[in-house]
């Protein structure tokens, strides 16, 4: 990747040869835009950001929480070292990768993913843990409250 005019360009190069002599290079590329970052982030289920220097150039989801989270570990983490961090009450696994080690703008891709969903997602289902014991206790209680049937006396038999 190259940074041209403050934009990250995803490039590919290929040497053009005549016999064993390199006579030129073919360079093709496209700008990395918000749509590409969004598709990559949603497809992988992560928070994703392209970090240039000390700023998130592009990030998804595009909000201040994501930018702060990505910058909090991208500026302190050398490329390739995954880390586990706490942010906003959630635990994230994070990683940073250098896009072009020689560039002055120091472009990096920062990725974060929540390790486990927060407990709030399951609060509404918490009562289900008590449903089975309560139903068993209710059945036992109702069986004891039921009157015991008396045998029907036949004529000529003592009661």
């Amino acid at each position: 990747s190259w940074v041209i005019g403050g934009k990250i360009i995803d490039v590919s190069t290929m040497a053009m040869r005549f016999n064993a002599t390199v006579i030129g290079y073919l360079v093709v590329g496209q700008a990395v835009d918000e749509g590409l970052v969004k598709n990559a982030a949603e497809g992988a289920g992560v928070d994703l950001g392209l970090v240039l220097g000390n700023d998130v150039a592009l990030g998804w989801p595009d909000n201040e929480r994501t930018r702060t989270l990505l910058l909090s570990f991208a500026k302190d983490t050398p490329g390739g070292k995954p880390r586990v961090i706490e942010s906003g009450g959630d635990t994230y696994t994070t990683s940073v990768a250098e896009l072009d080690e020689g560039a002055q703008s120091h472009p990096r891709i920062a990725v974060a993913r929540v390790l486990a969903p927060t407990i709030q997602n399951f609060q509404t289902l918490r009562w289900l843990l008590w449903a089975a014991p309560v139903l068993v206790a209710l059945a036992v209680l109702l069986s004891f409250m039921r009157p015991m049937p008396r045998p029907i006396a036949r004529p000529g038999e003592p009661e």
Side-chain angles (χ1 to χ4, degrees):
S1 294
W2 290 348
V3 178
I4 301 172
K7 292 186 177 185
I8 297 176
I9 309 294
D10 184 25
V11 296
S12 180
T13 61
M14 176 178 247
M16 295 172 27
R17 299 179 184 270
F18 181 75
N19 292 333
T21 307
V22 176
I23 59 171
Y25 292 92
L26 174 64
V27 179
V28 294
Q30 76 177 43
V32 177
D33 61 356
E34 188 174 324
L36 181 64
V37 173
K38 176 184 176 186
N39 289 340
E42 288 179 348
V46 296
D47 291 353
L48 178 79
L50 298 171
V51 180
L52 293 175
N54 290 323
D55 186 32
V56 177
L58 291 170
W60 192 262
D62 189 17
N63 56 41
E64 193 58 37
R65 182 198 65 81
T66 302
R67 291 181 183 281
T68 303
L69 170 70
L70 295 175
L71 280 177
S72 71
F73 68 86
K75 62 183 176 185
D76 300 330
T77 306
K81 297 275 186 182
R83 289 182 14 191
V84 175
I85 63 168
E86 293 282 331
S87 179
D90 292 323
T91 304
Y92 291 87
T93 182
T94 64
S95 186
V96 178
E98 304 289 331
L99 293 177
D100 186 9
E101 294 179 14
Q104 283 184 318
S105 58
H106 196 56
R108 293 156 289 167
I109 185 167
V111 180
R113 183 175 183 148
V114 176
L115 282 178
T118 57
I119 193 70
Q120 290 89 6
N121 294 342
F122 298 102
Q123 290 292 358
T124 56
L125 301 176
R126 194 174 228 178
W127 63 271
L128 285 176
L129 294 173
W130 295 101
V134 167
L135 289 175
V136 169
L138 186 62
V140 169
L141 182 65
L142 288 175
S143 69
F144 283 128
M145 292 177 62
R146 191 171 136 195
M148 298 297 280
R150 294 186 181 184
I152 299 174
R154 293 190 182 154
E157 291 183 5
E159 289 187 25

